[in-house]
Coordinates of all heavy atoms in Angstrom, one line a residue:
M1 N 120.6 51.3 106.0 CA 121.3 52.3 105.2 C 120.6 52.5 103.9 O 120.3 51.5 103.2 CB 122.7 51.8 105.0 CG 123.5 52.8 104.1 SD 125.2 52.3 103.8 CE 126.0 52.6 105.3
K2 N 120.5 53.7 103.5 CA 119.9 54.1 102.2 C 121.1 54.1 101.1 O 122.2 54.6 101.4 CB 119.3 55.4 102.1 CG 118.2 55.6 103.1 CD 117.0 54.7 102.7 CE 115.8 54.9 103.6 NZ 114.7 54.0 103.4
K3 N 120.8 53.5 99.9 CA 121.8 53.4 98.9 C 121.3 54.2 97.7 O 120.2 53.8 97.2 CB 122.1 52.0 98.6 CG 123.4 51.9 97.8 CD 124.0 50.5 98.0 CE 125.4 50.4 97.3 NZ 125.9 49.1 97.4
I4 N 122.1 55.2 97.2 CA 121.7 56.0 96.1 C 122.7 55.6 94.9 O 123.9 55.7 95.1 CB 121.8 57.5 96.5 CG1 120.9 57.8 97.7 CG2 121.5 58.3 95.3 CD1 121.2 59.0 98.4
M5 N 122.1 55.4 93.8 CA 122.9 55.1 92.6 C 122.8 56.3 91.6 O 121.7 56.7 91.3 CB 122.4 53.8 91.9 CG 123.2 53.5 90.6 SD 122.4 52.2 89.6 CE 122.4 50.8 90.7
L6 N 124.0 56.8 91.1 CA 124.1 57.7 90.1 C 124.5 57.0 88.9 O 125.5 56.2 88.9 CB 125.1 58.8 90.5 CG 124.8 59.6 91.7 CD1 125.9 60.7 91.8 CD2 123.5 60.2 91.8
I7 N 123.9 57.3 87.8 CA 124.3 56.6 86.5 C 124.7 57.7 85.5 O 124.0 58.7 85.3 CB 123.1 55.8 85.9 CG1 122.6 54.8 86.8 CG2 123.5 55.2 84.5 CD1 121.4 54.1 86.4
C8 N 125.9 57.5 85.0 CA 126.3 58.3 83.9 C 127.0 57.5 82.7 O 126.9 56.3 82.9 CB 127.4 59.4 84.4 SG 128.9 58.7 84.9
S9 N 127.5 58.1 81.8 CA 128.0 57.4 80.6 C 129.1 56.3 80.9 O 128.9 55.2 80.5 CB 128.5 58.3 79.5 OG 127.5 59.2 79.1
A10 N 130.1 56.8 81.6 CA 131.2 55.9 81.9 C 131.4 55.7 83.4 O 132.3 55.0 83.8 CB 132.5 56.4 81.3
G11 N 130.6 56.3 84.2 CA 130.8 56.2 85.7 C 131.8 57.1 86.2 O 132.1 57.1 87.4
M12 N 132.4 58.0 85.4 CA 133.4 58.9 85.9 C 133.0 60.3 86.1 O 133.4 61.0 87.0 CB 134.6 58.8 84.9 CG 135.3 57.4 84.9 SD 136.8 57.3 83.9 CE 136.3 58.0 82.4
S13 N 132.2 60.8 85.2 CA 131.8 62.3 85.3 C 131.0 62.5 86.6 O 131.0 63.6 87.1 CB 130.9 62.6 84.1 OG 129.7 62.0 84.1
S14 N 130.4 61.5 87.2 CA 129.7 61.7 88.4 C 130.4 61.5 89.7 O 129.9 61.7 90.8 CB 128.4 60.9 88.4 OG 128.8 59.5 88.2
S15 N 131.7 61.2 89.5 CA 132.5 60.9 90.7 C 132.7 62.1 91.6 O 132.7 62.0 92.8 CB 133.8 60.3 90.4 OG 134.6 61.2 89.6
L16 N 132.8 63.2 91.0 CA 132.9 64.5 91.9 C 131.6 64.7 92.6 O 131.6 65.1 93.8 CB 133.3 65.6 91.0 CG 133.4 67.0 91.7 CD1 134.5 66.9 92.9 CD2 133.8 68.1 90.8
L17 N 130.5 64.5 91.9 CA 129.2 64.7 92.5 C 129.0 63.7 93.6 O 128.5 64.0 94.7 CB 128.0 64.6 91.5 CG 126.6 64.8 92.0 CD1 126.5 66.1 92.7 CD2 125.6 64.7 90.9
V18 N 129.4 62.5 93.5 CA 129.4 61.5 94.6 C 130.2 62.0 95.8 O 129.7 61.9 96.9 CB 129.9 60.1 94.1 CG1 130.2 59.2 95.3 CG2 129.0 59.5 93.1
Q19 N 131.3 62.5 95.6 CA 132.2 63.0 96.6 C 131.4 64.2 97.3 O 131.4 64.2 98.6 CB 133.5 63.6 96.0 CG 134.4 64.1 97.1 CD 135.7 64.7 96.6 OE1 136.0 64.5 95.4 NE2 136.4 65.4 97.3
K20 N 130.9 65.1 96.6 CA 130.1 66.2 97.2 C 128.9 65.8 98.0 O 128.6 66.2 99.1 CB 129.6 67.2 96.2 CG 130.7 67.9 95.4 CD 131.3 68.9 96.2 CE 132.4 69.6 95.3 NZ 133.1 70.6 96.1
M21 N 128.2 64.7 97.5 CA 127.0 64.0 98.2 C 127.5 63.4 99.5 O 126.9 63.4 100.5 CB 126.3 63.1 97.3 CG 125.5 63.9 96.2 SD 124.8 62.7 95.0 CE 123.4 62.1 96.0
Q22 N 128.7 62.7 99.4 CA 129.1 62.0 100.6 C 129.6 63.0 101.7 O 129.4 62.7 102.9 CB 130.3 61.1 100.2 CG 129.8 59.9 99.4 CD 131.0 59.0 98.9 OE1 132.1 59.5 98.6 NE2 130.7 57.7 98.7
E23 N 130.1 64.1 101.2 CA 130.4 65.2 102.2 C 129.1 65.7 102.9 O 129.2 65.9 104.1 CB 131.1 66.3 101.6 CG 132.6 66.0 101.1 CD 133.1 67.1 100.2 OE1 132.6 68.2 100.0 OE2 134.2 66.9 99.7
E24 N 128.1 65.8 102.2 CA 126.8 66.3 102.7 C 126.2 65.2 103.6 O 125.7 65.6 104.7 CB 125.8 66.6 101.6 CG 124.6 67.3 102.0 CD 124.9 68.7 102.6 OE1 125.8 69.4 102.3 OE2 124.0 69.1 103.6
I25 N 126.4 64.0 103.3 CA 125.8 62.9 104.1 C 126.6 62.9 105.5 O 126.0 62.7 106.5 CB 126.0 61.5 103.4 CG1 125.0 61.4 102.3 CG2 125.9 60.3 104.4 CD1 125.3 60.2 101.3
A26 N 127.9 63.1 105.4 CA 128.7 63.1 106.6 C 128.3 64.3 107.5 O 128.2 64.2 108.7 CB 130.2 63.2 106.3
S27 N 128.2 65.5 106.9 CA 127.8 66.7 107.7 C 126.4 66.6 108.3 O 126.2 67.1 109.4 CB 127.9 67.9 106.8 OG 126.8 68.1 105.9
Q28 N 125.5 65.9 107.6 CA 124.2 65.7 108.2 C 124.0 64.4 109.0 O 123.0 64.1 109.6 CB 123.1 65.7 107.1 CG 123.0 67.0 106.4 CD 121.8 66.8 105.3 OE1 120.8 66.2 105.6 NE2 122.0 67.6 104.3
R29 N 125.1 63.6 109.1 CA 125.2 62.4 109.8 C 124.0 61.5 109.4 O 123.3 60.9 110.3 CB 125.1 62.6 111.3 CG 126.3 63.4 111.8 CD 126.4 63.5 113.3 NE 127.7 64.2 113.6 CZ 127.9 64.8 114.7 NH1 127.0 64.8 115.6 NH2 129.0 65.3 115.0
L30 N 123.9 61.3 108.1 CA 122.9 60.4 107.5 C 123.4 59.0 107.4 O 124.6 58.8 107.2 CB 122.4 61.0 106.2 CG 121.7 62.3 106.2 CD1 121.5 62.8 104.8 CD2 120.5 62.3 107.0
D31 N 122.6 58.1 107.4 CA 122.9 56.7 107.1 C 122.6 56.4 105.7 O 121.6 55.8 105.4 CB 122.1 55.7 108.0 CG 122.6 54.3 108.0 OD1 123.8 54.1 107.6 OD2 121.9 53.4 108.4
A32 N 123.6 56.8 104.8 CA 123.3 56.6 103.4 C 124.7 56.5 102.7 O 125.8 56.8 103.2 CB 122.7 57.9 102.8
E33 N 124.6 55.9 101.5 CA 125.8 55.7 100.6 C 125.5 56.0 99.2 O 124.3 55.8 98.8 CB 126.2 54.2 100.7 CG 127.3 53.8 99.9 CD 127.7 52.3 99.8 OE1 126.9 51.5 100.4 OE2 128.6 51.9 99.2
V34 N 126.4 56.6 98.5 CA 126.2 57.0 97.1 C 127.2 56.2 96.3 O 128.4 56.2 96.6 CB 126.4 58.5 96.9 CG1 126.1 58.9 95.5 CG2 125.5 59.3 97.9
I35 N 126.7 55.7 95.2 CA 127.6 55.0 94.2 C 127.4 55.5 92.8 O 126.3 55.9 92.5 CB 127.5 53.4 94.2 CG1 126.1 53.1 93.8 CG2 127.9 52.8 95.6 CD1 125.9 51.6 93.5
A36 N 128.5 55.6 92.1 CA 128.3 56.0 90.7 C 128.6 54.8 89.8 O 129.7 54.1 90.0 CB 129.3 57.1 90.4
V37 N 127.8 54.5 88.8 CA 128.1 53.4 87.9 C 127.9 53.9 86.5 O 127.2 54.8 86.2 CB 127.2 52.2 88.2 CG1 127.4 51.7 89.6 CG2 125.7 52.5 88.0
A38 N 128.6 53.2 85.6 CA 128.4 53.4 84.1 C 127.1 52.7 83.8 O 126.6 51.8 84.4 CB 129.6 52.8 83.4
E39 N 126.6 53.2 82.7 CA 125.4 52.7 82.1 C 125.4 51.2 81.9 O 124.5 50.4 82.2 CB 125.2 53.4 80.7 CG 124.2 52.8 79.8 CD 124.3 53.4 78.4 OE1 124.9 54.5 78.3 OE2 123.7 52.8 77.5
A40 N 126.6 50.7 81.5 CA 126.8 49.2 81.2 C 126.7 48.4 82.5 O 126.5 47.2 82.4 CB 128.1 49.0 80.5
D41 N 126.9 49.0 83.6 CA 127.1 48.2 84.9 C 125.8 48.3 85.8 O 125.8 47.8 86.9 CB 128.2 48.7 85.8 CG 129.5 48.5 85.1 OD1 129.6 47.4 84.3 OD2 130.5 49.3 85.2
V42 N 124.7 48.9 85.3 CA 123.5 49.1 86.1 C 123.0 47.7 86.6 O 122.5 47.6 87.7 CB 122.5 49.9 85.3 CG1 121.1 49.9 86.0 CG2 123.0 51.3 85.0
S43 N 122.9 46.7 85.7 CA 122.3 45.4 86.1 C 122.9 44.8 87.2 O 122.4 44.1 88.0 CB 122.2 44.5 84.8 OG 121.4 45.1 83.8
K44 N 124.2 45.0 87.4 CA 125.0 44.5 88.5 C 124.6 44.9 89.9 O 124.8 44.2 90.9 CB 126.5 44.7 88.3 CG 127.1 44.0 87.1 CD 128.5 44.4 86.9 CE 129.0 44.0 85.6 NZ 130.4 44.4 85.3
C45 N 124.0 46.1 89.9 CA 123.7 46.8 91.2 C 122.2 46.9 91.4 O 121.8 47.5 92.5 CB 124.3 48.2 91.2 SG 126.1 48.2 90.8
I46 N 121.4 46.4 90.6 CA 119.9 46.6 90.7 C 119.2 46.3 92.0 O 118.4 46.9 92.4 CB 119.2 45.9 89.5 CG1 117.8 46.5 89.4 CG2 119.2 44.4 89.6 CD1 117.1 46.0 88.1
S47 N 119.8 45.2 92.6 CA 119.1 44.8 93.9 C 119.6 45.4 95.1 O 119.1 45.3 96.2 CB 119.3 43.3 94.0 OG 120.7 43.0 94.2
E48 N 120.6 46.3 94.9 CA 121.3 46.9 96.1 C 120.9 48.4 96.3 O 121.5 49.0 97.2 CB 122.8 46.9 95.9 CG 123.4 45.5 95.6 CD 124.8 45.5 95.2 OE1 125.4 46.6 95.4 OE2 125.3 44.5 94.8
V49 N 120.0 49.0 95.5 CA 119.8 50.4 95.7 C 118.3 50.7 96.1 O 117.4 50.0 95.9 CB 120.2 51.2 94.4 CG1 121.6 50.9 94.1 CG2 119.3 50.8 93.2
D50 N 118.2 52.0 96.7 CA 116.9 52.5 97.1 C 116.4 53.5 96.1 O 115.2 53.8 96.0 CB 117.0 53.1 98.5 CG 117.4 52.1 99.5 OD1 116.5 51.2 99.7 OD2 118.5 52.2 100.1
V51 N 117.3 54.2 95.4 CA 116.9 55.2 94.4 C 118.0 55.3 93.3 O 119.1 55.1 93.6 CB 116.7 56.6 95.2 CG1 118.0 57.1 95.8 CG2 116.1 57.6 94.3
V52 N 117.5 55.7 92.1 CA 118.4 55.8 91.0 C 118.3 57.2 90.4 O 117.2 57.7 90.2 CB 118.1 54.8 89.9 CG1 118.9 55.0 88.6 CG2 118.2 53.4 90.4
L53 N 119.4 57.9 90.2 CA 119.5 59.2 89.6 C 120.4 59.1 88.3 O 121.4 58.6 88.4 CB 120.1 60.3 90.6 CG 119.2 60.5 91.8 CD1 119.9 61.3 92.9 CD2 118.0 61.4 91.4
L54 N 119.9 59.7 87.3 CA 120.5 59.7 86.0 C 121.2 61.1 85.8 O 120.6 62.1 85.9 CB 119.6 59.5 84.9 CG 118.8 58.2 84.9 CD1 117.8 58.2 83.8 CD2 119.8 57.0 84.7
A55 N 122.5 61.1 85.4 CA 123.1 62.3 84.9 C 122.4 62.8 83.7 O 121.8 62.0 82.9 CB 124.6 62.0 84.6
P56 N 122.3 64.2 83.5 CA 121.5 64.7 82.3 C 121.9 64.1 81.0 O 121.2 64.0 80.1 CB 121.9 66.2 82.5 CG 122.2 66.4 83.9 CD 122.9 65.1 84.4
Q57 N 123.3 63.8 80.8 CA 123.7 63.3 79.5 C 123.2 61.9 79.2 O 123.3 61.5 78.0 CB 125.2 63.4 79.4 CG 126.0 62.4 80.3 CD 126.4 63.0 81.6 OE1 125.7 63.9 82.1 NE2 127.4 62.5 82.2
V58 N 122.6 61.2 80.1 CA 122.1 59.9 79.9 C 120.6 59.9 80.2 O 120.0 58.8 80.4 CB 122.7 58.8 80.6 CG1 124.2 58.6 80.2 CG2 122.7 59.0 82.1
R59 N 119.9 61.0 80.0 CA 118.5 61.1 80.2 C 117.7 60.2 79.3 O 116.6 59.8 79.7 CB 118.0 62.6 80.2 CG 118.1 63.1 78.8 CD 117.5 64.6 78.6 NE 118.0 65.5 79.6 CZ 117.3 66.1 80.6 NH1 116.0 65.8 80.6 NH2 117.7 66.8 81.4
F60 N 118.3 59.9 78.2 CA 117.6 59.0 77.2 C 117.3 57.6 77.8 O 116.5 56.8 77.2 CB 118.3 58.9 75.9 CG 119.7 58.3 76.0 CD1 119.9 56.9 75.9 CD2 120.8 59.1 76.3 CE1 121.1 56.4 76.0 CE2 122.1 58.6 76.4 CZ 122.3 57.2 76.3
L61 N 118.1 57.2 78.8 CA 117.9 55.9 79.5 C 116.7 55.8 80.5 O 116.3 54.8 80.9 CB 119.1 55.6 80.2 CG 120.5 55.4 79.5 CD1 121.6 55.3 80.4 CD2 120.4 54.2 78.5
A62 N 116.2 57.0 80.8 CA 115.1 57.1 81.8 C 114.0 56.1 81.7 O 113.5 55.4 82.5 CB 114.6 58.5 82.0
K63 N 113.4 56.1 80.4 CA 112.2 55.3 80.2 C 112.4 53.8 80.5 O 111.7 53.1 81.1 CB 111.7 55.5 78.8 CG 110.3 55.0 78.5 CD 109.9 55.4 77.1 CE 108.4 55.0 76.9 NZ 107.9 55.4 75.6
G64 N 113.5 53.3 79.8 CA 113.9 51.9 80.0 C 114.2 51.6 81.5 O 113.8 50.5 82.0
L65 N 115.0 52.4 82.2 CA 115.3 52.1 83.5 C 114.1 52.2 84.5 O 114.0 51.5 85.4 CB 116.4 53.1 84.1 CG 117.8 52.9 83.4 CD1 118.7 54.0 83.8 CD2 118.3 51.5 83.8
K66 N 113.2 53.1 84.2 CA 111.9 53.1 85.0 C 111.2 51.8 84.9 O 110.6 51.3 85.8 CB 111.0 54.3 84.6 CG 111.6 55.6 85.0 CD 110.7 56.8 84.6 CE 111.3 58.1 85.2 NZ 110.5 59.3 84.9
R67 N 111.2 51.2 83.7 CA 110.6 49.9 83.5 C 111.3 48.8 84.3 O 110.7 48.0 85.0 CB 110.5 49.5 82.0 CG 109.3 50.1 81.3 CD 109.0 49.4 80.0 NE 110.3 49.5 79.1 CZ 110.5 50.4 78.2 NH1 109.7 51.4 78.0 NH2 111.5 50.3 77.4
K68 N 112.6 48.9 84.2 CA 113.5 47.9 84.8 C 113.4 48.0 86.3 O 113.2 47.0 87.0 CB 115.0 48.0 84.4 CG 115.9 47.1 85.0 CD 117.3 47.3 84.6 CE 117.6 46.5 83.3 NZ 119.0 46.5 83.0
F69 N 113.5 49.1 86.9 CA 113.5 49.3 88.3 C 112.1 49.4 88.9 O 111.9 49.2 90.1 CB 114.3 50.6 88.7 CG 115.7 50.4 88.6 CD1 116.5 50.9 87.5 CD2 116.5 49.8 89.6 CE1 117.9 50.7 87.4 CE2 117.8 49.7 89.6 CZ 118.5 50.1 88.5
G70 N 111.1 49.8 88.0 CA 109.8 49.9 88.5 C 109.2 48.6 89.1 O 108.4 48.7 90.1
S71 N 109.6 47.5 88.5 CA 109.1 46.2 89.1 C 109.6 46.0 90.5 O 108.9 45.2 91.3 CB 109.6 45.1 88.2 OG 110.9 45.0 88.2
R72 N 110.6 46.7 90.9 CA 111.2 46.6 92.2 C 110.8 47.8 93.1 O 111.3 48.0 94.2 CB 112.7 46.5 92.2 CG 113.2 45.2 91.5 CD 114.7 45.2 91.4 NE 115.1 44.1 90.7 CZ 115.5 42.9 91.2 NH1 115.5 42.8 92.5 NH2 116.0 42.0 90.4
E73 N 110.0 48.7 92.5 CA 109.6 49.9 93.1 C 110.8 50.8 93.5 O 110.7 51.5 94.6 CB 108.7 49.6 94.3 CG 107.4 48.9 93.9 CD 106.4 48.7 95.1 OE1 106.6 49.1 96.2 OE2 105.5 47.9 94.9
I74 N 111.7 50.9 92.7 CA 112.9 51.8 93.0 C 112.7 53.0 92.0 O 112.6 52.8 90.8 CB 114.2 51.1 92.6 CG1 114.4 49.9 93.5 CG2 115.4 52.1 92.7 CD1 115.5 48.9 93.1
P75 N 112.5 54.2 92.7 CA 112.3 55.4 91.8 C 113.5 55.8 91.0 O 114.7 55.6 91.4 CB 112.0 56.5 92.8 CG 112.5 56.0 94.2 CD 112.6 54.5 94.1
V76 N 113.2 56.3 89.7 CA 114.3 56.7 88.8 C 113.9 58.1 88.4 O 112.8 58.4 88.0 CB 114.3 55.8 87.6 CG1 115.3 56.3 86.6 CG2 114.6 54.3 88.0
E77 N 114.9 59.0 88.5 CA 114.7 60.4 88.0 C 116.0 60.9 87.4 O 117.1 60.3 87.6 CB 114.3 61.3 89.1 CG 112.8 61.2 89.5 CD 112.4 62.2 90.5 OE1 113.1 63.2 90.7 OE2 111.3 62.0 91.1
I78 N 115.9 62.0 86.7 CA 117.0 62.7 86.1 C 117.5 63.8 87.0 O 116.6 64.6 87.5 CB 116.7 63.3 84.7 CG1 116.2 62.1 83.8 CG2 117.8 64.0 84.1 CD1 115.5 62.5 82.5
I79 N 118.7 63.9 87.2 CA 119.3 65.0 88.0 C 119.1 66.3 87.2 O 119.4 66.3 86.1 CB 120.8 64.7 88.4 CG1 121.0 63.5 89.1 CG2 121.4 65.9 89.1 CD1 122.4 63.0 89.2
D80 N 118.7 67.4 88.0 CA 118.6 68.7 87.3 C 120.0 69.1 86.8 O 121.0 68.9 87.4 CB 118.2 69.7 88.5 CG 118.0 71.0 88.0 OD1 117.0 71.3 87.3 OD2 119.0 71.8 88.1
A81 N 119.9 69.6 85.6 CA 121.1 69.9 84.8 C 122.0 70.9 85.5 O 123.2 70.9 85.5 CB 120.8 70.4 83.4
I82 N 121.3 71.9 86.2 CA 122.0 73.0 86.9 C 122.7 72.4 88.1 O 123.9 72.6 88.4 CB 121.2 74.1 87.3 CG1 120.7 74.9 86.0 CG2 121.9 75.1 88.3 CD1 119.6 76.0 86.2
D83 N 122.0 71.5 88.9 CA 122.6 70.9 90.0 C 123.7 70.0 89.6 O 124.8 69.9 90.3 CB 121.5 70.0 90.8 CG 120.5 70.9 91.5 OD1 120.8 72.1 91.8 OD2 119.4 70.4 91.8
Y84 N 123.6 69.3 88.5 CA 124.7 68.4 88.0 C 125.9 69.3 87.6 O 127.0 69.0 88.0 CB 124.2 67.5 86.9 CG 125.2 66.4 86.6 CD1 125.1 65.2 87.3 CD2 126.1 66.6 85.6 CE1 126.0 64.2 87.0 CE2 127.0 65.5 85.3 CZ 127.0 64.4 86.0 OH 127.9 63.4 85.7
G85 N 125.6 70.3 86.8 CA 126.7 71.1 86.3 C 127.5 71.8 87.4 O 128.7 72.1 87.3
T86 N 126.8 72.3 88.5 CA 127.4 72.9 89.6 C 127.9 72.0 90.7 O 128.5 72.4 91.7 CB 126.5 74.0 90.2 OG1 125.3 73.3 90.7 CG2 126.1 75.1 89.2
M87 N 127.6 70.7 90.5 CA 128.0 69.7 91.5 C 127.5 70.0 92.9 O 128.1 69.9 93.8 CB 129.5 69.5 91.5 CG 130.1 69.0 90.2 SD 129.6 67.3 89.9 CE 129.5 67.2 88.2
D88 N 126.1 70.3 92.9 CA 125.4 70.7 94.1 C 125.0 69.4 94.8 O 123.9 68.9 94.6 CB 124.2 71.6 93.8 CG 123.7 72.2 95.1 OD1 123.8 71.5 96.1 OD2 123.2 73.3 94.9
G89 N 125.9 68.9 95.7 CA 125.6 67.6 96.4 C 124.5 67.7 97.3 O 123.7 66.7 97.4
R90 N 124.3 68.8 97.9 CA 123.1 69.0 98.8 C 121.8 68.9 98.1 O 120.9 68.2 98.5 CB 123.2 70.4 99.5 CG 121.9 70.6 100.4 CD 122.0 71.9 101.2 NE 123.0 71.7 102.3 CZ 123.6 72.7 102.8 NH1 123.4 73.9 102.5 NH2 124.5 72.5 103.8
N91 N 121.6 69.6 96.9 CA 120.4 69.5 96.2 C 120.1 68.2 95.6 O 119.0 67.6 95.7 CB 120.4 70.6 95.1 CG 120.0 71.9 95.6 OD1 119.7 72.1 96.7 ND2 120.1 72.9 94.6
V92 N 121.1 67.5 95.2 CA 121.0 66.1 94.6 C 120.6 65.2 95.7 O 119.7 64.3 95.5 CB 122.2 65.7 93.8 CG1 122.0 64.3 93.2 CG2 122.4 66.7 92.6
L93 N 121.2 65.3 96.8 CA 120.9 64.4 97.9 C 119.5 64.7 98.4 O 118.7 63.7 98.7 CB 121.9 64.7 99.1 CG 121.7 63.7 100.3 CD1 122.0 62.3 99.9 CD2 122.7 64.2 101.4
N94 N 119.1 66.0 98.5 CA 117.7 66.2 98.8 C 116.7 65.6 97.8 O 115.6 65.1 98.2 CB 117.5 67.8 98.9 CG 118.1 68.4 100.1 OD1 118.4 67.7 101.0 ND2 118.3 69.7 100.1
Q95 N 117.1 65.7 96.5 CA 116.2 65.1 95.5 C 116.0 63.6 95.7 O 115.0 63.0 95.7 CB 116.8 65.3 94.1 CG 116.0 64.7 93.0 CD 116.6 64.8 91.6 OE1 117.8 65.3 91.5 NE2 116.0 64.4 90.6
A96 N 117.2 62.9 96.1 CA 117.1 61.4 96.3 C 116.3 61.2 97.5 O 115.4 60.2 97.4 CB 118.5 60.9 96.5
Y97 N 116.4 61.9 98.6 CA 115.6 61.7 99.8 C 114.1 61.9 99.6 O 113.2 61.2 100.0 CB 116.1 62.4 100.9 CG 117.1 61.6 101.8 CD1 118.5 61.5 101.4 CD2 116.7 60.9 102.9 CE1 119.3 60.7 102.1 CE2 117.6 60.1 103.6 CZ 118.9 60.0 103.2 OH 119.8 59.2 103.9
A98 N 113.8 62.9 98.7 CA 112.4 63.2 98.4 C 111.8 62.1 97.7 O 110.7 61.7 97.8 CB 112.3 64.6 97.6
M99 N 112.6 61.5 96.7 CA 112.1 60.4 95.9 C 111.8 59.2 96.8 O 110.8 58.5 96.6 CB 113.2 60.0 94.9 CG 113.3 61.0 93.8 SD 114.9 60.8 92.8 CE 114.6 59.2 92.1
M100 N 112.7 58.9 97.8 CA 112.5 57.8 98.7 C 111.3 58.0 99.5 O 110.5 57.1 99.9 CB 113.7 57.6 99.5 CG 114.9 57.0 98.7 SD 116.3 56.5 99.7 CE 117.2 58.1 99.8
E101 N 111.0 59.3 100.0 CA 109.9 59.6 100.9 C 108.6 59.4 100.1 O 107.6 58.9 100.7 CB 109.9 61.0 101.4 CG 111.0 61.2 102.4 CD 111.2 62.7 102.9 OE1 110.4 63.5 102.5 OE2 112.2 62.9 103.6
Q102 N 108.6 59.7 98.8 CA 107.4 59.5 98.0 C 107.0 58.0 97.8 O 105.9 57.7 97.8 CB 107.5 60.1 96.6 CG 107.5 61.7 96.6 CD 107.6 62.2 95.2 OE1 108.1 61.6 94.3 NE2 107.4 63.5 95.1
R103 N 108.1 57.3 97.8 CA 107.9 55.8 97.6 C 107.3 55.2 98.9 O 106.5 54.3 98.8 CB 109.2 55.2 97.3 CG 109.2 53.7 97.0 CD 110.5 53.1 96.8 NE 111.2 53.1 98.1 CZ 112.3 52.6 98.4 NH1 113.0 52.2 97.3 NH2 112.9 52.6 99.5
D104 N 107.7 55.7 100.1 CA 107.3 55.1 101.4 C 105.9 55.4 101.7 O 105.0 55.8 101.4 CB 108.2 55.5 102.5 CG 109.7 54.9 102.3 OD1 109.8 53.9 101.6 OD2 110.6 55.6 102.9

């Protein structure tokens, strides 16, 4: 099972996006899970994820998280602001899968 982590300021603004992504996962019958965590809780989940996506409002964390997750070869990227603003679960899920394919 693939595990996708979304990071936002408090872990709440991305909850709707998680729901949209889970709907897309179900419709495509993928073996994946999406979790949303607050910036403060990232370290608790570091060993459990395949890819990390940052909400646009926490883009400033990207450099540090790329160093932290890079040692585990976990890709980190920022979600496109339009996809995040429109809660486009399909596009964000496609972004996550593309990141995992590049890693493999």
Side-chain angles (χ1 to χ4, degrees):
M1 175 182 289
K2 300 294 184 186
K3 194 159 187 181
I4 302 163
M5 179 193 297
L6 303 184
I7 301 173
C8 68
S9 297
M12 295 187 307
S13 67
S14 56
S15 62
L16 180 58
L17 183 56
V18 168
Q19 180 182 349
K20 298 287 186 179
M21 290 175 73
Q22 288 173 332
E23 290 170 7
E24 191 63 32
I25 287 167
S27 74
Q28 293 185 35
R29 296 185 176 159
L30 298 172
D31 189 19
E33 177 185 6
V34 183
I35 61 169
V37 299
E39 163 191 347
D41 296 327
V42 171
S43 294
K44 296 175 187 174
C45 306
I46 193 170
S47 63
E48 304 172 10
V49 299
D50 296 295
V51 66
V52 176
L53 291 166
L54 298 171
Q57 68 268 27
V58 293
R59 67 177 49 248
F60 63 91
L61 298 173
K63 192 173 186 179
L65 289 174
K66 284 180 181 185
R67 278 195 303 266
K68 179 181 269 189
F69 285 98
S71 64
R72 298 175 186 266
E73 297 183 8
I74 299 170
V76 177
E77 285 186 15
I78 300 163
I79 300 169
D80 179 79
I82 293 172
D83 290 340
Y84 192 84
T86 59
M87 295 292 144
D88 192 328
R90 175 178 287 158
N91 279 354
V92 177
L93 186 62
N94 288 341
Q95 179 183 5
Y97 268 83
M99 292 165 62
M100 288 184 277
E101 286 175 11
Q102 286 179 348
R103 184 187 71 183
D104 293 337

